[in-house]
Amino acid sequence: MMLPDMAVLNGMSVDVEDWFQVGAFETVIDKADWDSLMPRVETNTDAVLALFAESETKATFFTLGWVAHRYPALIRRVVDAGHEIASHGWDHQRVFTMTPDVFRADLARARTAIEDAAGTQVTGYRAPSFSIDQRTPWAHIELAEAGYTYSSSVAPVKHDHYGWLDAPRYGFRPLADSALIEVPVTVAKFGARKLATGGGFFRLLPAAITDLAVRQVNRDDRPAMFYFHPWEIDAAQPRVDQAPLRSKIRHYARLGAMAGKLRGLLARHDWGRVDAVVAREAARLA
């Protein structure tokens, strides 16, 4: 019997990047050194595919172009398993550090690599570190002009690395003259306070907080948007000792617990590909 929580299809998403490509290490690991580091993204993403297969969950994999270029067979395995492939940019550069011209080039380079590997069209985008915010009023224009159907690049919270606190909580059309839909990641609300729920927040905090956030938005008949990274289920990954203490805590804490927490989350709510969620939101916003 379907539980009340499971009346709404929620978006399950994976930000496909390797352990050394995260924002937490961007000041201590040079991108020029990436090819010399021990890659684990292929093994970890395969483990995520196996985890989704257990629960027959379909998801969207927002993938770096850098990864797709080097591991095209991995991208094909994702597609062959019935999941959606979308773009996470080329090499995890935050959008608010780019100019419109640089962003446009980044979008094109990543999309070419991902589509060549996947053999399918890419219509979805997620900015690295949710870096579309009030500083980038041109970003949605560039995405619309490039033909993207949707973006999931906004975090309606205040965070030391990102956040657009006043952004809408649910899917919205950021441009009056475009069908492009922005679907923010889901936050839990405690009065006037908003708390992020995906990725490291899910890993470090009680799973009940994410369950609460999903129930809150589903009661409004709206979908939740959840995300995590393949490296978050990899407790054996290399340690970056020179990283700041806060970054190390955020990155390494409770990696061993993540897979089990994800299994529980997948069982308690109804999850699907982001493009399926966007199709339903498009009908609502029409």
Side-chain angles (χ1 to χ4, degrees), residues 49-244:
L49 289 172
L51 188 152
F52 285 155
E54 291 175 12
S55 59
E56 299 183 349
T57 298
K58 301 305 179 186
T60 293
F61 287 68
F62 292 99
T63 305
L64 291 181
W66 190 98
V67 171
H69 178 68
R70 286 161 176 78
Y71 305 101
L74 171 64
I75 306 308
R76 285 301 312 173
R77 290 197 294 277
V78 171
V79 172
D80 290 345
H83 303 288
E84 180 192 13
I85 285 287
S87 176
H88 199 34
W90 175 255
D91 63 356
H92 215 264
Q93 183 176 353
R94 302 180 195 219
V95 177
F96 55 66
T97 69
M98 303 186 205
T99 65
D101 287 344
V102 171
F103 182 55
R104 192 180 310 122
D106 184 271
L107 286 176
R109 186 182 187 191
R111 191 182 217 170
T112 296
I114 297 166
E115 290 185 342
D116 285 352
T120 61
Q121 185 180 12
V122 168
T123 62
Y125 174 78
R126 172 167 290 154
S129 299
F130 301 103
S131 51
I132 289 181
D133 58 25
Q134 64 273 24
R135 290 170 289 184
T136 59
W138 41 265
H140 285 120
I141 297 173
E142 293 294 338
L143 287 167
E145 290 183 350
Y148 283 87
T149 301
Y150 74 88
S151 165
S152 181
S153 302
V154 169
V157 295
K158 184 177 181 180
H159 187 277
D160 56 343
H161 284 296
Y162 57 80
W164 185 355
L165 185 60
D166 297 328
R169 189 182 188 192
Y170 301 135
F172 65 99
R173 296 195 189 279
L175 304 171
D177 59 350
S178 171
L180 177 75
I181 293 177
E182 174 65 48
V183 186
V185 291
T186 294
V187 298
K189 288 196 73 175
F190 299 92
R193 184 181 180 187
K194 294 188 283 189
L195 182 65
T197 59
F201 297 97
F202 177 74
R203 181 164 36 91
L204 294 168
L205 299 174
I209 293 176
T210 296
D211 287 331
L212 171 65
V214 174
R215 289 195 298 270
Q216 284 178 341
V217 299
N218 286 176
R219 279 198 296 266
D220 289 341
D221 195 31
R222 303 304 290 269
M225 179 63 66
F226 183 82
Y227 77 97
F228 69 100
H229 310 85
W231 56 262
E232 290 189 273
I233 63 171
D234 180 13
Q237 66 187 267
R239 263 44 180 177
V240 183
D241 294 332
Q242 66 270 35

Side-chain angles (χ1 to χ4, degrees), residues 250-282:
R250 286 174 172 173
H251 189 87
Y252 296 118
R254 294 185 57 75
L255 293 174
M258 187 63 166
K261 293 184 76 172
L262 285 168
R263 287 187 176 94
L265 184 72
L266 293 171
R268 290 190 295 272
H269 310 283
D270 192 14
W271 301 99
R273 292 166 41 140
V274 178
D275 56 355
V277 171
V278 167
R280 298 183 183 195
E281 288 294 278

